[in-house]
């Protein structure tokens, strides 16, 4: 288990940057919409595709994405952002599914 965690640490680090560093660039409602609806989902999708290529489909990764995002709601957003937990989990699922035909055999 620990080997797998170490092997995939880059992906988790990228997600942490995505969920906890990128929101610092939000200045107003307009920039919040761009960050929340374009930048963060795009980084999440790209990271998920590369994770899927390297590791294949992994349900636990999708769950980890949702769990990693959840605390950021209390730091950067308000309670209306709970819907993004599901949204980013779906994006991680799509990224994993996109990677299925591209992954290791």
């Amino acid at each position: 288990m620990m080997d797998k965690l170490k092997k995939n640490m880059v992906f988790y680090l990228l997600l942490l940057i995505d969920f906890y560093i990128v929101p610092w660039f939000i200045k107003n409602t307009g920039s919040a919409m761009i960050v929340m609806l374009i930048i963060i989902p795009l980084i999440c999708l790209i990271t998920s595709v590369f994770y899927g290529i390297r590791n294949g489909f992994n349900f636990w990764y999708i769950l980890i994405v949702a769990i990693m995002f959840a605390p950021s709601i209390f730091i950067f957003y308000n309670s209306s952002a709970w819907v993004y937990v599901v949204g980013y989990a779906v994006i991680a699922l799509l990224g994993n599914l996109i990677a299925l035909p591209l992954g290791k055999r």
Side-chain angles (χ1 to χ4, degrees):
M1 178 70 168
M2 206 56 171
D3 290 335
K4 191 169 187 157
L5 183 64
K6 286 179 185 177
K7 181 176 107 173
N8 295 315
M9 191 58 69
V10 167
F11 299 107
Y12 301 129
L13 183 61
L14 286 171
L15 288 171
L16 283 174
I17 290 168
D18 189 25
F19 296 152
Y20 294 94
I21 303 298
V22 173
W24 285 103
F25 295 101
I26 295 174
K27 301 281 187 244
N28 53 38
T29 304
S31 65
M33 292 297 110
I34 292 171
V35 168
M36 292 292 292
L37 298 175
I38 297 172
I39 297 172
I40 292 175
L42 188 60
I43 294 170
C44 183
L45 179 67
I46 292 168
T47 303
S48 298
V49 168
F50 282 107
Y51 180 92
I53 290 171
R54 185 171 184 183
N55 298 294
F57 183 81
N58 187 341
F59 172 77
W60 293 109
Y61 171 78
I62 296 162
L63 188 62
I64 288 169
V65 168
I67 291 169
M68 284 177 69
F69 178 75
S72 72
I73 294 169
F74 302 107
I75 298 169
F76 299 107
Y77 315 111
N78 58 35
S79 61
S80 68
W82 277 105
V83 70
Y84 290 101
V85 173
V86 175
Y88 294 141
V90 169
I91 290 169
L93 171 67
L94 291 174
N96 262 210
L97 292 175
I98 290 169
L100 276 178
L102 308 172
K104 292 191 286 184
R105 291 188 161 75

